[in-house]
Amino acid sequence: TWCTPEKDWDAEVRVLFTFCQKQIRYVRDPHGVDLFQHAKRTIAWKGGDCDDKGAITLGALLLAAGYPIRLRVIQTIESDDWDHIYLLVLLPPGGGPRARWVPLDATVQKPAGWEAPRHYIKRIRDFRVV
């Protein structure tokens, strides 16, 4: 049996999000290197930073399951440059009048839909993924 009912889009996204959040440990990049690794390596090694576990791996899983995604890059107030990335997923995946972009930050122990408070962010930039 499947872990979620058919067409329960919110539940399906939560399962994929929880997998990346709980089964992949947050691990910083090597000192002085901005490392980007393939989703297969992140899953096999069970470790990665925000771009590895959150953007690349969760993004690949969501895209493979038919969900449109966007990448959100932020610069926090204590940083001199862009310093964090996470996803937005469109729910329901087909769009429609009630569609919404839901933030998914798998690097924090917060539920799907949570994102850093606006007063903590200096700049935000979203990127479409096609």
Side-chain angles (χ1 to χ4, degrees):
T1 61
W2 290 85
C3 59
T4 62
E6 289 181 25
K7 300 182 182 178
D8 186 342
W9 314 122
D10 289 359
E12 193 169 66
V13 165
R14 274 194 311 275
V15 167
L16 296 172
F17 171 74
T18 301
F19 167 77
C20 288
Q21 186 183 49
K22 306 285 186 196
Q23 300 301 316
I24 301 171
R25 180 182 171 89
Y26 178 84
V27 180
R28 295 176 54 88
D29 282 335
H31 179 72
V33 177
D34 197 5
L35 178 70
F36 301 93
Q37 62 192 25
H38 194 282
K40 285 172 58 174
R41 180 181 171 105
T42 300
I43 291 169
W45 187 51
K46 296 183 181 177
D49 67 353
C50 61
D51 48 58
D52 303 317
K53 83 181 253 178
I56 297 169
T57 304
L58 180 56
L61 292 169
L62 289 167
L63 287 170
Y67 292 90
I69 62 168
R70 291 182 180 166
L71 300 172
R72 175 161 286 174
V73 182
I74 65 171
Q75 177 185 1
T76 56
I77 57 173
E78 70 254 355
S79 179
D80 294 331
D81 203 357
W82 302 100
D83 60 334
H84 191 52
I85 186 169
Y86 55 96
L87 294 180
L88 304 172
V89 63
L90 184 64
L91 289 174
R98 303 185 104 187
R100 66 209 190 279
W101 288 97
V102 177
L104 300 174
D105 189 344
T107 63
V108 294
Q109 295 306 309
K110 300 284 186 181
W114 181 90
E115 59 187 324
R118 192 69 181 106
H119 68 272
Y120 188 66
I121 299 171
K122 210 185 283 186
R123 293 188 293 170
I124 295 176
R125 186 158 180 206
D126 291 348
F127 295 89
R128 279 185 44 217
V129 176
V130 291

